[in-house]
Amino acid sequence: MIKAPSTEPIEKNPGTKPRSFLRALLSGLVVFVLFAGLLEGVYRLGWADNMLPMRSVGNYHTQFEIKWFKLEEYVRQNGGVDVILLGNSMVNTGIDPEVLSAKYAELTGQQVRVFNFGVEGLTIEPLSILARILEEKYHPATIIIFTEMRDYITGNGDQVSADFLGNAWVQQQFGHPSLEGYLESNSSALQHLLPFRYWYNSDFLDTYLLNTRRLAETTASGYEAARGTEIDVNQEPDPTDPKEAVIFDLFKNYSMDEQRITALESILAYEEDGTQIIVTEMPVFFTYYSYLEKESDREDYLARLQEIALAHGGTYLEMISWQPIHNSGFADNHHLNYMGAETYTNLFAAQLADLCSTQQVCLASSMDEVQP
Amino acid sequence: MTVTAALFFVCAVAAALVYRWLPAKFRNYWLLAVSLGFLATWSWQFILVLGALTLLNYLLGFKAAPTGKHALGWTTTGIVLNVLALFIFKYSSFYLPEAVRLLNSLGITVSDGLQILLPIGLSFLVVQWISYLLDVTNGRMEAQRNFVSFSLYAFYFPRLISGPVERAHAFFERLHNPLPVDRALLERSLVLIFTGLFRKLVFANPLFAMIPTDAFTAPAEYAGQHLVVWLLAYAFAIYNDFAGYTMIVRGVSLWFGIELTNNFNLPYLSRNFSEFWTRWHISLSNWLRDYIFYPLSWSLLKRNRSQKAFFNFVLPPLLTMLVSGMWHGLSWNMLLWGGLHGLYLIVERVPSLFKAQPLVNERPRWRQWPGRGVTFLFAVLAWVPFKTSVPNTLAFWKGLILWQKPDFFLFKSVLLGDRQFLDWSSFGLPDPILCLLLAVAILFDLLQHRGGSETFIQRWPRWAQVILVVILLLVAVLAAFTHQVAPFVYQTF
């Protein structure tokens, strides 16, 4: 500002001749394309899968992506999938498909291939989209949809839905093609690179490590055990606690959103295509019901849910009570931990076996052998 | 449309091809049409506002000619009107809530959400117009008669968003006598654009994103070692952001044969603050020097001829930098930022009161490197009020020295494989990716310093150039899948 611009004699390097940068750009482009091709080959041949185990289709929901690629691998290993369990985090941590499959075989003599596709935060609308994608790709004989009251509250989880559905890969599955969606669907190298797309976020390292751990801890059949056992589930939720207040607010003036009911009906519509749809709920600890404004809300909801399921040819299964599950089996008042999950899965297998013997609604092997 | 968008480059190439193809007399009409189209991608209302101000300054230019009656009065009127426009549009957040409250109290119902949108680039244009009027009235140039040329002085699309601040006579000279667009010029433009994109996409955007959103608003929540690294990240992010932008637009402008002013010359390698301001936002710094600092100094010297007199010594740098702060925003923190830089300039001149000081280039090398260190340190500290409010600034500065001991024991256990590597944050150590990127950004500047030119990568071996291109492509491709838009910081000024 005060003096004239600097005339500092900076060290020059006049000996080196300037090179054509246009050539460098073109060479760089060619090298990039070759590099991308090489990487694609390496990943398609499976030579580097263990080096970068995380994969992504560009969806913001990492857990969904973990499940998606686990299912792809499951189908590759087992030749198909018979039963897909759909729901939110309660399903994710609450049912071990291997236990379910073994118990069901023990009770009915029928072997079924079961996969847990419970994904955190997904309400009935994104679940209906997911059901469509899974049904079209894997043709399971049965989809068991675990729903709950919160699925039908207007506005609940809308942002999660919007982010999930806005993804180019999801749109690609629905026949809305784009270059981005195509690459995310078909490029193995890109799928291995995309988990690094937020490499510059302040929490990237922690998030990446967490996701890698979750990938490792999710079983081949999609079950992710919860370890927590220290929460006193007997304690009633406190409406003055800001975190709890959000849930209390959610249940105020409870009513079922018609648009969301339509989403459930769209899942039930697969009955017409021969896919068996079973609608049920995950068990919650009794203190969970403290969030409700009035008990009749729950009764009305259950009646409506059953009516919808039956009206569309689906099967409605009553929720298994929390009572046979020990307190220590709950991670919190609505999530089961690994102990609770084992108990519940056995009970659920028995419930399904009973359904088979009494109503002849049995889990069956899918006719389709799918190769992803 | 931002200047890093692929569509921008496609449109600019098409515009340049048509420009070359057209007969010379139609070229500026075409350039103006393209520029207005570019502005319309931001908002068509901006065309109306900036068009009206352009017309006003065009007419005032004739009145400001020294041969005319009341030239100085017209120039003063022009300056007042330009500053008023800046106040109305840029500082609306300052007065609008008060105005709404006043109107509501008078029974006139006005929505709380009343907003006045700041036309893109207005702050840069206002200083350009003021310098134009002053240059005309001081006889440094004649008023521009060609309205298309005058409009291009404002609307010329490569510099529209955030400058550089051009001097009217130099701009018109370049506009009317463009450089021949030969291979050498195109090569230079490519290097400038590439380096600009590299600075923006590889350094600036990631460095900004690596700073937690509340680092500057809740600094007490974080340990000093993190704040230090984030402040360095901010310093290099804002520098690479603005320097990257300038390089891109200068490169694009060369396609039309028009050279724009350079804005940055390795500012963090300055050896004192006088030099810093010849290397940081050079076009604005020169403007402030020529239209605030020098006139103020001369005016004070007329009253007291001693350069060592208190007011002669203190007022010019302090007021100039306060104006610079106000240009960036009408807030206490921007005034603090400007005031600090004014203070730095004063303090570093204190030794000259007692003994004539050699020019910075003539100082021994052993004094130059510590000078660089001290200048860098204080320039970086001044970025805190540039970024956040005054109370947060004070908390941040305090936090910089309150370090917490990292958990080296845990870190060692993980390194030795005794514990699982669950997360990085529990070590209490700065983000290693951020530190690595900072190191690369610093190295990039040092290489430019060693290369002696902003197009230094042109002299690199081909393999090194190719690696740079591949890195940029990889980062750009990954960034494209995030759908995150990272606007240039200075476009908000």
Side-chain angles (χ1 to χ4, degrees):
Chain A
M1 175 105 14
I2 296 167
K3 297 180 180 106
S6 167
T7 52
E8 177 197 9
I10 309 169
E11 296 96 309
K12 302 276 178 191
N13 194 5
T16 322
K17 196 180 155 199
R19 291 177 174 81
S20 163
F21 199 70
L22 182 62
R23 282 190 193 169
L25 276 179
L26 294 174
S27 309
L29 201 62
V30 170
V31 170
F32 182 76
V33 171
L34 289 175
F35 175 69
L38 184 73
L39 214 59
E40 186 65 34
V42 165
Y43 278 112
R44 277 191 187 267
L45 292 169
W47 291 350
D49 283 355
N50 292 335
M51 215 155 51
L52 295 174
M54 283 297 295
R55 290 170 77 183
S56 168
V57 289
N59 199 292
Y60 99 102
H61 207 312
T62 310
Q63 206 206 6
F64 158 74
E65 297 183 324
I66 290 174
K67 292 283 172 103
W68 178 262
F69 288 112
K70 286 275 181 187
L71 177 57
E72 201 176 274
E73 185 58 29
Y74 182 88
V75 170
R76 189 179 290 123
Q77 298 285 337
N78 298 285
V81 60
D82 305 317
V83 182
I84 293 180
L85 313 173
L86 265 186
N88 58 22
S89 55
M90 294 159 73
V91 177
N92 176 46
T93 59
I95 308 176
D96 184 344
E98 284 169 31
V99 173
L100 179 69
S101 188
K103 186 72 180 175
Y104 191 77
E106 181 191 319
L107 296 171
T108 64
Q110 175 75 33
Q111 285 284 353
V112 280
R113 297 163 294 184
V114 185
F115 190 87
N116 179 334
F117 215 112
V119 179
E120 284 171 358
L122 291 195
T123 51
I124 196 71
E125 279 185 306
L127 282 177
S128 69
I129 305 293
L130 191 53
R132 184 173 150 191
I133 296 172
L134 294 172
E135 205 274 336
E136 283 176 8
K137 180 154 187 183
Y138 294 112
H139 317 296
T142 306
I143 292 177
I144 304 180
I145 175 91
F146 290 83
T147 187
E148 59 152 322
M149 287 178 81
R150 287 182 299 180
D151 281 337
Y152 305 94
I153 298 173
T154 309
N156 181 34
D158 275 359
Q159 190 54 51
V160 180
S161 288
D163 290 342
F164 178 75
L165 299 177
N167 175 230
W169 175 88
V170 173
Q171 293 300 320
Q172 179 87 13
Q173 312 305 308
F174 289 152
H176 302 129
S178 62
L179 178 64
E180 186 185 339
Y182 175 81
L183 290 172
E184 286 169 347
S185 304
N186 297 296
S187 168
S188 188
L190 185 69
Q191 287 173 357
H192 282 86
L193 285 177
L194 281 179
F196 296 94
R197 67 192 184 283
Y198 295 113
W199 64 275
Y200 49 74
N201 275 0
S202 55
D203 60 350
F204 169 74
L205 208 51
D206 284 358
T207 310
Y208 185 78
L209 287 167
L210 175 72
N211 291 337
T212 316
R213 203 167 70 241
R214 293 190 75 174
L215 173 72
E217 288 177 358
T218 303
T219 66
S221 53
Y223 166 59
E224 186 186 14
R227 304 277 163 211
T229 53
E230 292 168 9
I231 293 168
D232 181 9
V233 284
N234 282 305
Q235 199 166 344
E236 298 270 340
D238 176 10
T240 59
D241 178 339
K243 277 185 189 168
E244 301 280 26
V246 175
I247 309 178
F248 275 101
D249 284 346
L250 212 54
F251 283 107
K252 265 185 192 159
N253 304 319
Y254 184 81
S255 68
M256 290 174 81
D257 184 322
E258 289 303 322
Q259 198 178 324
R260 290 172 179 234
I261 290 172
T262 311
L264 175 65
E265 288 170 340
S266 74
I267 301 175
L268 288 160
Y270 294 121
E271 281 279 353
E272 290 170 17
D273 302 335
T275 307
Q276 183 172 273
I277 306 293
I278 298 174
V279 179
T280 187
E281 284 193 301
M282 288 294 294
V284 294
F285 201 68
F286 77 93
T287 48
Y288 183 76
Y289 296 116
S290 310
Y291 293 120
L292 301 184
E293 206 171 34
K294 44 188 191 295
E295 276 180 30
S296 59
D297 285 345
R298 169 108 188 121
E299 288 156 13
D300 295 346
Y301 156 77
L302 287 175
R304 183 84 196 272
L305 189 65
Q306 187 170 5
E307 178 196 320
I308 296 163
L310 298 177
H312 290 80
T315 306
Y316 175 75
L317 267 187
E318 272 191 24
M319 183 185 86
I320 291 172
S321 166
W322 54 273
Q323 283 161 323
I325 305 166
H326 192 266
N327 290 8
S328 61
F330 282 90
D332 58 33
N333 59 19
H334 59 295
H335 286 96
L336 298 172
N337 62 26
Y338 68 102
M339 291 185 282
E342 192 179 352
T343 311
Y344 171 70
T345 307
N346 279 304
L347 291 169
F348 186 56
Q351 191 185 22
L352 288 171
D354 185 54
L355 183 73
C356 182
S357 63
T358 57
Q359 295 180 40
Q360 280 72 53
V361 178
C362 304
L363 304 183
S365 292
S366 172
M367 296 304 288
D368 299 293
E369 293 297 305
V370 184
Q371 282 303 320
Chain B
M1 189 194 302
T2 181
V3 301
T4 48
L7 186 61
F8 172 79
F9 290 105
V10 171
C11 293
V13 167
L17 289 174
V18 174
Y19 180 83
R20 306 307 308 170
W21 170 76
L22 280 173
K25 61 179 176 180
F26 296 121
R27 286 180 174 175
N28 286 349
Y29 290 99
W30 169 245
L31 211 47
L32 183 59
V34 170
S35 299
L36 291 175
F38 175 69
L39 183 56
T41 64
W42 290 86
S43 161
W44 63 266
Q45 288 98 329
F46 289 171
I47 297 177
L48 298 181
V49 176
L50 296 181
L53 288 169
T54 301
L55 182 63
L56 176 76
N57 282 287
Y58 174 72
L59 296 174
L60 281 168
F62 297 116
K63 295 285 184 186
T67 49
K69 271 186 183 177
H70 313 299
L72 199 59
W74 282 111
T75 304
T76 310
T77 308
I79 292 170
V80 169
L81 288 174
N82 279 306
V83 173
L84 190 67
L86 191 63
F87 185 81
I88 289 170
F89 288 102
K90 182 162 180 167
Y91 306 131
S92 59
S93 60
F94 180 74
Y95 65 81
L96 218 52
E98 295 301 324
V100 168
R101 215 168 295 148
L102 183 71
L103 288 171
N104 285 340
S105 68
L106 293 172
I108 305 164
T109 311
V110 182
S111 159
D112 281 346
L114 191 62
Q115 277 188 338
I116 295 179
L117 215 54
L118 172 68
I120 198 92
L122 182 66
S123 314
F124 295 87
L125 291 177
V126 161
V127 292
Q128 280 199 171
W129 285 324
I130 289 175
S131 66
Y132 166 74
L133 293 174
L134 285 169
D135 285 354
V136 169
T137 208
N138 288 328
R140 291 192 201 112
M141 64 176 290
E142 287 187 0
Q144 177 57 250
R145 299 201 163 273
N146 186 326
F147 186 66
V148 173
S149 298
F150 189 79
S151 300
L152 279 170
Y153 181 49
F155 291 115
Y156 180 48
F157 79 93
R159 58 143 308 286
L160 182 61
I161 301 174
S162 309
V165 176
E166 295 293 341
R167 299 302 171 81
H169 57 90
F171 180 79
F172 294 135
E173 177 64 29
R174 292 176 203 151
L175 184 68
H176 297 142
N177 302 295
L179 297 167
V181 182
D182 54 16
R183 183 170 176 148
L185 196 74
L186 283 176
E187 285 281 347
R188 191 156 80 86
S189 82
L190 275 182
V191 177
L192 283 175
I193 292 168
F194 177 83
T195 314
L197 284 171
F198 200 87
R199 284 190 180 278
K200 171 69 177 163
L201 297 179
V202 179
F203 296 140
N205 288 354
L207 284 173
F208 276 129
M210 284 176 180
I211 305 168
T213 46
D214 61 347
F216 284 90
T217 51
E221 304 290 317
Y222 298 101
Q225 61 266 35
H226 295 301
L227 296 182
V228 168
V229 176
W230 292 333
L231 182 56
L232 288 172
Y234 183 73
F236 277 90
I238 195 165
Y239 158 54
N240 281 291
D241 187 82
F242 199 13
Y245 159 83
T246 310
M247 293 185 103
I248 294 167
V249 299
R250 285 176 61 219
V252 170
S253 183
L254 287 179
W255 295 348
F256 301 88
I258 298 170
E259 179 93 50
L260 292 177
T261 309
N262 188 10
N263 248 349
F264 289 89
N265 180 20
L266 304 174
Y268 292 143
L269 294 179
S270 306
R271 289 156 293 189
N272 59 28
F273 277 94
S274 302
E275 190 185 17
F276 180 84
W277 285 106
T278 63
R279 288 167 171 263
W280 179 277
H281 203 173
I282 298 167
S283 64
L284 180 70
S285 302
N286 287 351
W287 188 96
L288 290 164
R289 179 195 65 196
D290 294 345
Y291 297 99
I292 308 274
F293 183 84
Y294 283 159
L296 188 61
S297 298
W298 290 329
S299 148
L300 289 167
L301 278 170
K302 275 183 197 167
R303 292 162 190 262
N304 184 341
R305 299 190 73 83
S306 168
Q307 290 194 337
K308 293 179 181 177
F310 180 76
F311 286 118
N312 293 3
F313 188 76
V314 168
L315 279 186
L318 191 60
L319 285 180
T320 304
M321 293 318 299
L322 286 174
V323 169
S324 178
M326 285 171 69
W327 178 86
H328 285 88
L330 196 62
S331 59
W332 289 111
N333 54 307
M334 282 301 181
L335 282 176
L336 178 58
W337 173 78
L340 273 176
H341 274 284
L343 192 68
Y344 295 161
L345 289 167
I346 294 164
V347 169
E348 74 180 16
R349 289 172 70 206
V350 167
S352 70
L353 289 174
F354 307 104
K355 187 183 162 191
Q357 295 294 309
L359 289 173
V360 73
N361 291 333
E362 293 162 4
R363 289 176 190 166
R365 271 183 179 255
W366 69 267
R367 273 186 68 189
Q368 292 189 12
W369 277 103
R372 284 193 170 109
V374 172
T375 308
F376 176 70
L377 173 70
F378 283 94
V380 167
L381 285 175
W383 284 127
V384 183
F386 191 86
K387 172 69 179 162
T388 190
S389 66
V390 174
N392 287 337
T393 296
L394 300 177
F396 197 99
W397 281 339
K398 186 181 163 196
L400 286 173
I401 49 171
L402 297 176
W403 287 38
Q404 283 168 15
K405 194 181 165 203
D407 194 342
F408 288 118
F409 180 74
L410 182 65
F411 187 59
K412 190 180 137 198
S413 312
V414 170
L415 277 185
L416 294 174
D418 297 338
R419 279 172 186 245
Q420 210 183 342
F421 186 18
L422 296 178
D423 60 4
W424 179 267
S425 52
S426 54
F427 300 142
L429 289 165
D431 182 350
I433 303 173
L434 171 51
C435 293
L436 183 69
L437 191 63
L438 261 179
V440 177
I442 293 168
L443 180 68
F444 199 72
D445 271 13
L446 290 174
L447 289 171
Q448 181 177 335
H449 177 64
R450 189 160 171 255
S453 153
E454 61 184 347
T455 55
F456 67 109
I457 57 170
Q458 215 174 352
R459 293 178 184 273
W460 281 14
R462 176 60 42 80
W463 61 266
Q465 293 177 337
V466 168
I467 287 176
L468 272 195
V469 174
V470 172
I471 289 172
L472 180 65
L473 284 171
L474 190 62
V475 170
V477 166
L478 281 182
F481 283 93
T482 65
H483 301 284
Q484 288 177 346
V485 182
F488 290 98
V489 173
Y490 264 73
Q491 97 189 24
T492 57
F493 293 132

